[in-house]
Each structure stands twice: as C-alpha cells, then as structure tokens.
Amino acid sequence: MSVSLKDPVRQAGQARRTGGAAAASGRRPLRLSPVLLLLPALALMAGVFAYPLAEAMWRSVAYPAPGPQNYQWFAADAGNWAVLGRTLWVALLSAAICLVLAYPYAYFMVISGPKLRAALMVIVLIPFWTSLMIRSFAWIILLQDNGLVNGLLAVLGLGPFELIRNTTGVLVGMVQVLLPFMVLPLYASMNNVDLRLMQASSSLGARPFVSFTRIFMPLAMPGVVSGSLLVFIQALGFYITPALLGSPAEMMISQYIYMQVNGQLQWGRGSVLGVILLVATLALLGLLALLMKKSKRAAGDEGGLL
Amino acid sequence: MSASTRRRAKVLPVGIAATAALLLSACGGGAGGAAPAEVDLGSGPAQAGTVKAGALEGVNMTFASYGGIYQDGQMAAAITPFAEESGARVLSDGPMEYAKIQAQVESNNVTWDVVDTDSNWAAGQCGKLLQKLDYSIIDKSNIPEGLASDCYVPAMQYATVMVYNTEKYSDAPTTWKDFFDTKKYPGKRAIQGNDAGAGIFEGALIADGVAPEDLYPLDIDRALAKLDTIKDSLVYWSTGAQAQQMLEAKEADMAVVWSGRAFGAVENGAPFEPAWDTGVVVMDVLAVPTNAKNPKASMALINYYLGKEQQEKLTEETSYSPVHLEAKPEVNENGRKFLITEPEIAEKVIVSDFAWWGENYADVLEKYTAWVS
C-alpha cells in the first residue's frame, strides 16, 4: 500500500478518496488493513471448507485402517465408475440444457425495454426464491404416472411416459433449479455487448445471422463459460433433487456418498467418492482452461493475420 | 479445531468472533449440562410404565427417532408423560442416523440418550456403538418372547408386507409367487431401494420355492437372482413417505412397504389391501449409545416407554403394533387390518430372524446396493 511520493496523480487520487470518506463520515477513517477485512471470510472458509476437505482426504486413506483399500474398492467395482460417470453426464446435460434454454431468454432480456426486462427478471427469480422441497414435490405431482403432464399427453394419444424416478425426472428438476445461474451471467455478459457493433457490421454488409454469430456470440462468450461452469459444478453435488425425483437404481454420487456413510458407516469409502469427484471436477476444469487458452491463442493468431 | 478457533477469537475483531461462535455452535451441537452425580430411581423391582416421581429433576435428555407421525406418537404416548412424571427435560431430535450415532460415540460427545433405530443394525452394534441395557431398571417381563436382547428392547412391531391395488386386479395377488408373476399380474411393483431389510429377500426365496421354515440363513444371491426376473417392473422408494405417496398416487400397482405406511395410505383413501401371507414381522428398537451421558436416566425412559398404557396409546396414535403382551389398543377398522398382533394376522406372518439379520445386515446391504445401482 505504499504510494510513491513521486506520483502526484495517484497521490491526488488517494487524498481525494480518503478526504471524501473522512468528510462524509465526519470522523477519521478506520485504518484497517485490507487483509484484516478478509479474515472473517478466511476463517469461515478454513473452518467450513478447508478443514472438512482435509479431514475427508485423510479419512479416505485412514478409515477404517490406514492404506489404499478404499481407493482399491472404488477402482475394482464397475458400479462405482457407473455412478461417477452418470453424475458427470447428468451435470453436463444440465449445463447444456440450461444453456439452450437460457441463451435466447437472456438475449430477449437484453433487447427488450426496461419494463418487460424487469418482468422477465422476476420470472427467472421467482422459482429461485421458492423452497427447493416445494419445487421438487410440485414436479412429482406434475410428472408422476397419473400426473398432469401424462394426463395432457394422454389427451394427445401419447404416453404414459415414465418421467420421474429416473434420470429424466432428475434433469427436469435440476434444470429448473439451475436455470437462474445460467440466465444471470448470460444476461450480465450480453448486456455489456455494445449492440451498435452489430449495426456497424450490418452497415459493412453482414447479414443479421452473420453479425450475430461473428460479433455478438463471441462477445457474449464469457457469460456462456461462467454460466456453464456455475451450473455444471453445482449440478455435480445435487442431493435433494435426485433423491426425490430420481431412483436408487440411477443414483448420483451425493446419494451414493450418503448411503456409504450413513447406511454402511463407510466413512472411508464415502470420502474416497468425494475426493474422486473433486479430482475429476478439477481435471475437467483444467482441461477447459487449457482449451480456452488454446482457442484464444488461435483467435489471436487469426487476428494477427488479418 | 474448535480449541484453536476459540483462542484466535480472543485476539481478532468482532466479525471473527462471530464466525467462530457460529462454527462452534455448528460443531458442538448442544452438549447439555454435565451429568448429575447420582440418580435415585427408588427401590424395589422395576415395573414397566412407571418412574419415581421427580427422580430426574434437572436432568436434560434427548430422544432421537424417525420423525413424522411415528415420533409424534412416541412423544405423546410415552416421552412427554415420562418427562412430566420424572422431572427430566426431554428433547425430541431426529431423524435418527447411524452415522450421527457413530460420530457422537467416537467424539465422546453423546447427545442422544435414547435412540429409536433398526433392529438389524442394533443387533450388529451391541457392545460397539450401543451399550448393554440394565435389566434391573428395565422391566421386560411383558415383552413378547424373543424381541428383547442385551442391547435393545422393541419400540414397536410392524411388518414388511405386500399390498396391491384393488382397482387394478380383480383376481387379487395374495402370495409371494403372485408378486413375482408379471405375466398373470402385470404392473409396477415398488420396493425399498436405498436400504436392505427383512421382507423382499424372504419373499423372493419363498417365491423361488424355499419353505418358510428353511429360509434362514438367507441365500441372498438366490434372492437377487429371483429379483432379476422382475427387475423391469420394479420402482424403488427411499423413504416411508415416498412409499406412501406412491400408493396414494397409484404409481405402483403392488408394493412391499412398511405396514404403518400402507395404513397411512389406506386411511387417505388409497385403494390398497394387504396380502398378509406375505407379511414378515420386523421391529424398531430402543437402544442407548455407548458413553451416553446418563445411562440410568436412559434406562428409566425405556422402562417407562414399555408400559401397557403407553404401548396402547402408541398404537392408537401410529397404527404400529404394541410390544406389551397385555396391550389392548382401540383402533378403527383400517387400523385392525394392519395390526400384526391381531390373531388372524399373527398366524399368517413370518417373524424375521433378528439374530441372522443382525449379523449379516452390512453384507446384505452392500450386495443389494450393488444390485440396485
């Protein structure tokens, strides 16, 4: 925080800021080190995140006896891989479906007037404020074999389809819960795009489709990435929705961890499942970061050629 | 961890102290006051359903069970009256979870004084996570033969029983053979998917030709092979509430469920009938975790719970069957259909082999989990 005395501009800025704050409060400004401000959050993270994580890692190699037996158990049983694969797949599908649904919605929000935009925002947020339990039970009533959806389909001469107690039900429930996490980053990112750029491109002869795909979509890309990551990572850890709308026959990893720890008191195995999920997620994120770096570099090269 | 957090909290600003307090309260989980030095439960032989008035004045206790109407019934029938008579303050907590008992016992911070749990699990934990009961304080003379053991007494009896939709089948499926006959009785069958217990395995073996008296030791692999033949028609429930909901929504045409939940569904108008030839008697048990703070008080509560009046009231409130030989609960017509202590039902059902299940529960659960998922 040392400010060079030879830097008059920054000095002036500093003086203006502190002076303004002091004038506003009428007291001397608090001289808290910024690091100190972080401490409550850090203490909380250490207590509720780092410590349990370390404990889980330790248990995965130390419960019920020291050794790699829990990892061997995981590797040897094809059922374990199936649960992990299903979890990653369902999370990926949730992110993809959310993206497909949220993209046009967020775009529509950006191009609509302020009143309609506010209404669209509320529509996104209402389910967000409703209890997860209530939403899940509502889906059970809608999707069950004799439910509303199958009733409507029957009128059209279709069905009945099995819409809950399987992965379909889980996906429907999860997409609804996670949609705001896709819409909001997308909207934020799209809102930053200067729409005049698209006018400019069409004035240069680009058709609407071309200016959308070549101008708008790349500029909105950060929202796509952050929204997809948010949805994907949250989906990996979902418990209540799969427990209510899914089936023990098509378990996701959180349910499996719960069964290992709580049903069989296999803390070591439960911990292994958690650690492996974490490692798999980090590996996927690393891969994604690498790909993005590469594509950026590729884009940069292309730009250089032009 | 909590010790170091506490030390830091003294030197750092208020925000951190608040955070630490939050953490501590999250970890501590209400560790009541220190145990009183002595509890005088009076002299003379124990008598079920009684406690010396005011004997536990100032004692804090926690009773953990499975929630819902069952725990409400337990509170109304036994726990609250026990608190009033003995002077103890008894909190109701739940849901009972094995991992929570283990965590409490291993951290030597046992906050549950009496737990309502599954008999199979309890049988396997005697002397480990559960302590031996003191039968000088608990009067077990009126408990039906074979239901009490060193570490537990029955909390109530019920059955895992097959029920069927009366609107769907004109020719009622009444046996385990029918349950496994998807040609004659097409339709969805709901069974428990997240846990293993007596009922479906016995049923699969009987349907496969094993005589009821030769069931134990259960051949689980053979039972699972038999279940394979109807796997396409199976749906799974994970909680009692879910099972009941499946019946009420007629999502399943047949189901193997806990009798209390079937009763609940029928009371709410679901068109289902029990097939008692398929009934397998099981029970919930009361047990005391190892290192419980005040074992004498725990025993006194269990003794009170086992009284005739308490058992009658419990049945009237919950539809689960009493575990007192002389209990004569007053229940409605639907209730009687599900009471396994009714003579015409009692002669049809099989009583599960609690000892075998206690020894083998963990293995069966592991196999079953692998089979389901």
Side-chain angles (χ1 to χ4, degrees):
Chain A
M1 274 301 281
S2 72
V3 179
S4 161
L5 290 173
K6 287 173 191 160
D7 190 346
V9 179
R10 283 180 68 181
Q11 247 179 312
Q14 176 94 350
R16 205 166 46 241
R17 275 200 300 277
T18 48
S25 66
R27 279 183 275 119
R28 277 191 60 205
L30 275 170
R31 289 240 168 243
L32 273 180
S33 153
V35 180
L36 212 58
L37 292 173
L38 276 178
L39 273 175
L42 282 179
L44 190 70
M45 286 297 275
V48 304
F49 179 69
Y51 170 74
L53 187 65
E55 169 98 20
M57 286 181 167
W58 181 74
R59 284 190 178 207
S60 73
V61 291
Y63 247 69
Q69 78 273 16
N70 292 318
Y71 287 91
Q72 285 161 351
W73 163 82
F74 181 88
D77 189 339
N80 296 334
W81 292 100
V83 172
L84 179 66
R86 183 182 302 122
T87 306
L88 293 170
W89 175 238
V90 167
L92 199 67
L93 271 181
S94 310
I97 297 172
C98 279
L99 184 59
V100 168
L101 293 177
Y103 203 93
Y105 191 93
Y107 184 68
F108 189 63
M109 274 173 76
V110 169
I111 59 172
S112 52
K115 269 192 186 161
L116 182 57
R117 182 183 303 170
L120 289 169
M121 184 66 97
V122 169
I123 290 172
V124 172
L125 288 177
I126 281 176
F128 202 50
W129 294 327
T130 316
S131 146
L132 185 59
M133 299 297 281
I134 292 174
R135 276 183 286 168
S136 299
F137 281 114
W139 278 121
I140 293 177
I141 291 168
L142 289 174
L143 297 178
Q144 65 195 6
D145 293 6
N146 309 313
L148 221 60
V149 173
N150 267 316
L152 282 176
L153 289 173
V155 173
L156 302 171
L158 299 167
F161 295 101
E162 293 191 359
L163 300 172
I164 47 168
R165 321 265 182 238
N166 55 28
T167 303
T168 312
V170 175
L171 273 175
V172 170
M174 282 172 65
V175 164
Q176 191 213 12
V177 173
L178 291 168
L179 203 54
F181 294 97
M182 186 66 92
V183 170
L184 296 178
L186 272 179
Y187 170 72
S189 160
M190 287 178 178
N191 210 23
N192 280 335
V193 175
D194 192 341
L195 293 179
R196 286 173 308 179
L197 287 172
M198 292 179 56
Q199 288 170 4
S201 75
S202 59
S203 78
L204 292 171
R207 278 169 301 168
F209 178 76
V210 174
S211 59
F212 184 80
T213 49
R214 303 257 329 246
I215 308 290
F216 186 84
M217 280 175 76
L219 287 170
M221 206 55 191
V224 172
V225 174
S226 57
S228 304
L229 281 181
L230 262 179
V231 171
F232 176 73
I233 289 174
Q234 287 197 79
L236 287 173
F238 258 50
Y239 176 73
I240 294 176
T241 308
L244 291 175
L245 297 173
S247 156
E250 292 173 24
M251 249 186 303
M252 289 185 51
I253 205 158
S254 332
Q255 288 163 281
Y256 199 41
I257 293 174
Y258 177 86
M259 277 183 73
Q260 289 296 335
V261 171
N262 208 57
Q264 309 190 22
L265 297 181
Q266 294 278 11
W267 297 79
R269 291 181 181 180
S271 304
V272 161
L273 292 168
V275 169
I276 285 176
L277 179 64
L278 180 70
V279 170
T281 311
L282 289 178
L284 277 176
L285 290 182
L287 197 71
L288 189 72
L290 210 72
L291 284 176
M292 283 186 36
K293 222 179 193 176
K294 256 193 187 155
S295 76
K296 236 182 218 164
R297 204 177 299 138
D301 288 349
E302 203 187 317
L305 281 176
L306 281 169
Chain B
M1 184 248 354
S2 53
S4 70
T5 315
R6 206 179 289 133
R7 213 172 304 128
R8 247 185 300 148
K10 280 182 188 156
V11 288
L12 291 177
V14 186
I16 302 159
T19 312
L22 199 89
L23 284 176
L24 285 174
S25 66
C27 306
E38 256 178 52
V39 172
D40 178 15
L41 292 169
S43 56
Q47 197 188 347
T50 62
V51 64
K52 188 182 153 196
L56 298 171
E57 210 69 61
V59 175
N60 286 319
M61 302 178 71
T62 304
F63 172 72
S65 183
Y66 287 99
I69 63 155
Y70 177 47
Q71 192 161 352
D72 291 345
Q74 289 179 308
M75 294 307 291
I79 311 298
T80 307
F82 169 78
E84 279 162 13
E85 278 189 47
S86 69
R89 191 165 153 262
V90 189
L91 294 174
S92 170
D93 197 8
M96 195 292 307
E97 285 181 348
Y98 307 141
K100 284 190 191 160
I101 297 181
Q102 190 185 25
Q104 291 181 16
V105 171
E106 287 179 359
S107 65
N108 204 5
N109 181 21
V110 178
T111 54
W112 288 348
D113 297 280
V114 176
V115 295
D116 181 304
T117 183
D118 176 78
S119 66
N120 298 333
W121 184 80
Q125 291 296 339
C126 193
K128 295 174 193 162
L129 294 179
L130 300 176
Q131 62 176 276
K132 296 217 159 125
L133 299 182
D134 183 348
Y135 285 112
S136 69
I137 301 177
I138 300 169
D139 165 21
K140 62 172 176 177
S141 55
N142 278 304
I143 298 174
E145 184 71 35
L147 297 191
S149 91
D150 282 355
C151 282
Y152 61 74
V153 298
M156 51 75 173
Q157 309 179 72
Y158 62 109
T160 316
V161 65
M162 189 256 279
V163 294
Y164 59 92
N165 184 339
T166 52
E167 290 170 356
K168 166 105 182 182
Y169 302 112
S170 46
D171 178 17
T174 52
T175 66
W176 282 116
K177 272 215 159 56
D178 297 339
F179 185 82
F180 282 86
D181 187 345
T182 49
K183 277 212 184 83
K184 193 170 167 199
Y185 298 100
K188 272 202 210 173
R189 287 122 162 96
I191 64 175
Q192 189 173 17
N194 66 330
D195 200 356
I200 190 68
F201 302 99
E202 285 84 346
L205 292 172
I206 289 174
D208 206 31
V210 178
E213 56 274 18
D214 300 333
L215 278 173
Y216 298 95
L218 295 179
D219 182 345
I220 293 297
D221 294 322
R222 183 171 169 187
L224 291 178
K226 185 70 182 173
L227 276 166
D228 271 330
T229 63
I230 57 165
K231 201 166 186 176
D232 291 342
S233 303
L234 291 178
V235 285
Y236 304 94
W237 52 266
S238 302
T239 61
Q242 209 174 32
Q244 185 172 336
Q245 196 264 339
M246 281 182 176
L247 298 184
E248 287 178 19
K250 296 181 231 170
E251 203 180 318
D253 304 304
M254 286 184 220
V256 177
V257 292
W258 300 325
S259 49
R261 291 300 185 164
F263 165 78
V266 170
E267 280 279 282
N268 286 345
F272 280 81
E273 280 284 334
W276 277 114
D277 278 325
T278 64
V280 179
V281 174
V282 285
M283 61 180 173
D284 265 19
V285 298
L286 297 183
V288 181
T290 302
N291 299 334
K293 291 212 168 71
N294 199 334
K296 272 192 167 178
S298 304
M299 306 297 160
L301 185 145
I302 291 176
N303 183 56
Y304 190 88
Y305 182 103
L306 292 170
K308 176 168 176 283
E309 235 174 86
Q310 288 84 342
Q311 287 296 311
E312 284 167 350
K313 177 120 195 251
L314 180 66
T315 298
E316 287 157 12
E317 299 264 330
T318 66
S319 89
Y320 287 111
S321 301
V323 292
H324 188 289
L325 288 170
E326 285 161 22
K328 296 271 179 297
E330 286 171 24
V331 294
N332 66 14
E333 199 188 332
N334 275 338
R336 249 196 310 282
K337 269 192 211 166
F338 289 93
L339 270 196
I340 57 160
T341 39
E342 290 289 297
E344 62 270 32
I345 295 174
E347 68 184 23
K348 287 184 180 170
V349 293
I350 304 169
V351 178
S352 94
D353 185 335
F354 299 115
W356 185 88
W357 269 103
E359 253 165 62
N360 296 282
Y361 166 70
D363 294 338
V364 178
L365 178 57
E366 194 170 342
K367 271 189 188 170
Y368 186 59
T369 304
W371 182 84
V372 168
S373 59

